Amino acid sequence: MTQTSRKTVASAPETLVRDIATYFVVNLSTALLWIFFKVLNRTTVLGRQHVGYKRNTLLLSNHQSMIDSFLVGIFAFYPQSWLKTYLIPWNPAAEENFFKNRFLTWLAHSYRCIPVKEGRRDPFALRRMVEVLPGGVMTLFPEGGRSRDGRVGEGRLGAGLIITRARPKVIPVAIDGMQDVLPIGKRIPRIFKRIYISYGEPVDYSEFLDYPRRQEAAQGVVDRVMAAIRKQHQEIRNLRERHRGR
């Protein structure tokens, strides 16, 4: 047996232990986050039945805080992700925020975060997303950055390029209240707020796949998804007002 093969055999148990540890860290922390969102911040979930448990599913959401990806993924796929590990979503994450040191890097990789370079024009990250999406699920924020006033902004081209290449099931997601839970500039999440999340019906983007210009098709897909998100977001705001009136 060569030295290389001996190292491979010796490292197999270590790899197994590491994978098991990662599995329990992710799922147990997800359970705690579910309590944080559902119990301590009274999350109202709408349209969960639209998501399903199929691979190659992309959740596109508006963006209000640094922990939005946990909210979107948890109420879409937990607790089914305990048994179906492919339901642990891939998440593009800002390299400057989530990969600053060895511990954060390990944690980010455990949560299937894909590092995106500052400036967000990162073709390597884009290729990686297209590569992994067909085998699992992913959450993505097409606005690119977080909203400072809670309103839904414009969608960027990158999300559309991923869709036209991977051709996933696309679920529009609208969230509201996360800007109060973790405002921009704050590091410690707040409790006793009220969060709303709405999962819409899958978006039909088939007409854009025949467009001769790829970027035009990609932007058309994004614009259609953002229109659905805005509609859902307004419905959430209306529901919030009704709750306040009680």
Side-chain angles (χ1 to χ4, degrees):
M1 183 181 292
T2 66
Q3 184 176 2
T4 301
S5 62
R6 284 197 299 270
K7 287 183 178 180
T8 302
V9 172
S11 64
E14 296 175 3
T15 301
L16 179 61
V17 170
R18 184 171 64 249
D19 290 345
I20 293 174
T22 298
Y23 170 83
F24 280 103
V25 166
V26 169
N27 281 291
L28 290 175
S29 59
T30 297
L32 294 175
L33 284 166
W34 184 92
I35 295 173
F36 171 78
F37 287 126
K38 188 65 177 178
V39 179
L40 298 181
N41 279 294
R42 298 181 300 164
T43 298
T44 297
V45 182
L46 306 170
R48 170 63 189 78
Q49 71 277 7
H50 295 139
V51 180
Y53 306 122
K54 292 184 178 181
R55 299 175 191 267
N56 205 17
T57 295
L58 178 61
L59 308 180
L60 292 184
S61 175
N62 61 311
H63 200 9
Q64 296 184 340
S65 81
M66 287 182 64
I67 57 175
D68 290 345
S69 58
F70 295 113
L71 174 78
V72 175
I74 285 171
F75 288 105
F77 302 116
Y78 185 81
Q80 286 77 13
S81 57
W82 272 102
L83 298 178
K84 299 178 179 180
T85 56
Y86 68 86
L87 292 177
I88 299 173
W90 291 92
N91 302 282
E95 193 173 54
E96 70 273 16
N97 292 327
F98 295 93
F99 294 83
K100 293 189 294 187
N101 55 55
R102 292 181 64 182
F103 174 73
L104 285 177
T105 298
W106 172 80
L107 196 61
H109 283 308
S110 298
Y111 274 100
R112 297 185 178 175
C113 292
I114 298 173
V116 180
K117 292 181 180 179
E118 193 170 6
R120 307 301 181 262
R121 293 187 181 273
D122 189 340
F124 175 79
L126 185 68
R127 288 195 299 271
R128 180 62 175 156
M129 292 178 214
V130 174
E131 179 183 284
V132 301
L133 177 54
V137 300
M138 182 181 293
T139 61
L140 190 62
F141 303 100
E143 295 166 289
R146 291 165 284 167
S147 172
R148 292 187 174 274
D149 57 12
R151 291 184 293 183
V152 181
E154 298 296 322
R156 296 187 178 184
L157 184 66
L161 291 173
I162 294 171
I163 293 170
T164 56
R165 293 177 185 178
R167 302 190 179 185
K169 176 182 179 181
V170 175
I171 302 294
V173 183
I175 61 176
D176 194 55
M178 290 299 291
Q179 73 275 17
D180 298 323
V181 173
L182 188 61
I184 293 177
K186 301 296 182 181
R187 295 185 177 182
I188 301 177
R190 300 169 177 175
I191 58 175
F192 305 131
K193 303 296 180 181
R194 186 148 199 168
I195 303 168
Y196 294 80
I197 181 166
S198 169
Y199 299 94
E201 295 183 5
V203 174
D204 180 6
Y205 56 88
S206 56
E207 67 182 87
F208 296 101
L209 299 179
D210 295 328
Y211 276 34
R213 297 180 180 178
R214 178 177 294 179
Q215 291 194 347
E216 182 181 343
Q219 192 61 57
V221 172
V222 170
D223 291 344
R224 177 165 295 184
V225 174
M226 297 309 297
I229 293 174
R230 288 191 189 93
K231 181 179 179 181
Q232 292 167 223
H233 189 256
Q234 186 57 53
E235 291 171 350
I236 286 176
R237 288 288 177 94
N238 295 340
L239 181 60
R240 184 184 289 276
E241 289 300 318
R242 291 199 295 271
H243 284 168
R244 285 175 179 170
R246 291 178 181 176

